[in-house]
Amino acid sequence: MRSFFRTLPSRTLLPVAAALLFGGCEMLEFSPNDHRAPDRQQDLTAKNLARLNQNPLPAGDTLRFVFTGDSQRFYDEAEDLVKSVNQQAGVQFLIIAGDISDFGFGREMRWVDDHLRKLKIPYVTVIGNHDSVGNGRKAYEAIFGPLNYSFAYGDTKFIMTDTNGREYNFDGKIPNMPWVNQELKDTSTRRHVIISHVPPQDEDFDPAVRDAYVTALRNDPRLAFEMNGHRHDFSIGEPFNDGVTYINSYGFEKRQYVIVTVWGDKQFRLKKVQF
């Protein structure tokens, strides 16, 4: 290699070296904050919802989905989780309750997707606090999609919202309550499920918005339950003693996930699965 470079005029060394160094790369990344992604890893939420809609759930049918959270840097666990979920019969999709990445890097989100795209079923996500640091929100929007969105499947409307108040310096605007309230007013489905990353009883949830959020959920007659990540361990309960059930997910590192089965108005069952 040294003798090869000696035979070249000095003005050609830089472009030749660059070609040798980067010629086999899919994409140049000049900064860890670079959130560019190939076409196949852009707008993943819309693409996965399109896949889900190819297999509609008739009204009145039982809904079953996988619930987990906090994939972060647990790539080996992601691979094993996919293998386990692919063996589960009758589940329609998978939900990750935020913290797909650890440092908000687009590259991390793409690494996790490299594993999750091997699922036999679609998956959807909400943004976590780790996904919000640095350039993370831009990366999440480019790779996955909106920070707040909803979709209906069968008899259920899923409301996916950003609750990472600390990452907005507790500005009193996260979660976006006008948006949440508008979504909860929708009467087109039999039941509602709201999913976010930081639970409202957590210190990372903006205290200025807590009462409004909890009250909105309490007053929704269609709400079946609320779901979160962030705490890396499973829990279920009524922390505000108001009849609203809050369910927290396992983190990937716990090597467990939950299969949620929903039927009727608000009936549901949870099954824990180790992998």
Side-chain angles (χ1 to χ4, degrees), residues 109-161:
M109 299 176 193
R110 291 167 55 202
W111 283 337
V112 173
D113 176 66
D114 285 339
H115 294 291
L116 297 180
R117 64 178 42 247
K118 297 174 184 177
L119 286 164
K120 294 179 181 178
I121 55 175
Y123 78 93
V124 293
T125 68
V126 292
I127 188 168
N129 63 309
H130 281 260
D131 305 317
S132 302
V133 299
N135 209 36
R137 284 195 285 271
K138 289 184 178 179
Y140 183 92
E141 288 177 316
I143 294 169
F144 293 103
L147 308 185
N148 297 286
Y149 67 98
S150 65
F151 65 95
Y153 188 66
D155 291 332
T156 306
K157 179 174 185 175
F158 290 85
I159 301 167
M160 321 288 280
T161 190

Side-chain angles (χ1 to χ4, degrees), residues 42-87:
Q42 295 178 23
D43 299 318
L44 293 178
T45 298
K47 291 173 181 175
N48 276 296
L49 289 178
R51 284 183 59 199
L52 183 63
N53 289 331
Q54 290 175 0
N55 296 289
L57 186 68
D61 275 19
T62 298
L63 170 69
R64 296 183 77 223
F65 62 93
V66 174
F67 180 56
T68 185
D70 300 83
S71 54
Q72 292 179 301
R73 61 187 177 277
F74 305 113
Y75 305 123
D76 291 341
E77 288 80 2
E79 182 178 1
D80 291 342
L81 179 143
V82 167
K83 292 177 182 177
S84 175
V85 172
N86 282 342
Q87 297 174 11

Side-chain angles (χ1 to χ4, degrees), residues 145-189:
L147 308 185
N148 297 286
Y149 67 98
S150 65
F151 65 95
Y153 188 66
D155 291 332
T156 306
K157 179 174 185 175
F158 290 85
I159 301 167
M160 321 288 280
T161 190
D162 181 357
T163 58
N164 305 296
R166 186 177 294 278
E167 273 52 58
Y168 294 84
N169 296 316
F170 293 143
D171 64 1
K173 298 179 181 179
I174 301 299
N176 182 339
M177 287 311 302
W179 183 84
V180 170
N181 285 326
Q182 188 63 39
E183 294 295 314
L184 291 174
K185 289 178 182 177
D186 183 11
T187 60
S188 64
T189 58

Side-chain angles (χ1 to χ4, degrees), residues 17-26 28:
L20 289 173
L21 182 60
F22 298 121
C25 293
E26 176 187 84
L28 303 186

Side-chain angles (χ1 to χ4, degrees), residues 231-270:
R231 295 185 164 187
H232 290 250
D233 208 351
F234 174 82
S235 67
I236 181 170
E238 297 181 8
F240 302 100
N241 300 312
D242 58 0
V244 177
T245 300
Y246 291 79
I247 302 169
N248 212 90
S249 69
Y250 289 112
F252 274 37
E253 77 276 19
K254 296 298 176 66
R255 303 187 70 87
Q256 294 188 76
Y257 58 83
V258 175
I259 296 178
V260 184
T261 303
V262 187
W263 70 96
D265 289 333
K266 298 184 180 181
Q267 288 80 14
F268 67 92
R269 179 175 62 249
L270 307 179

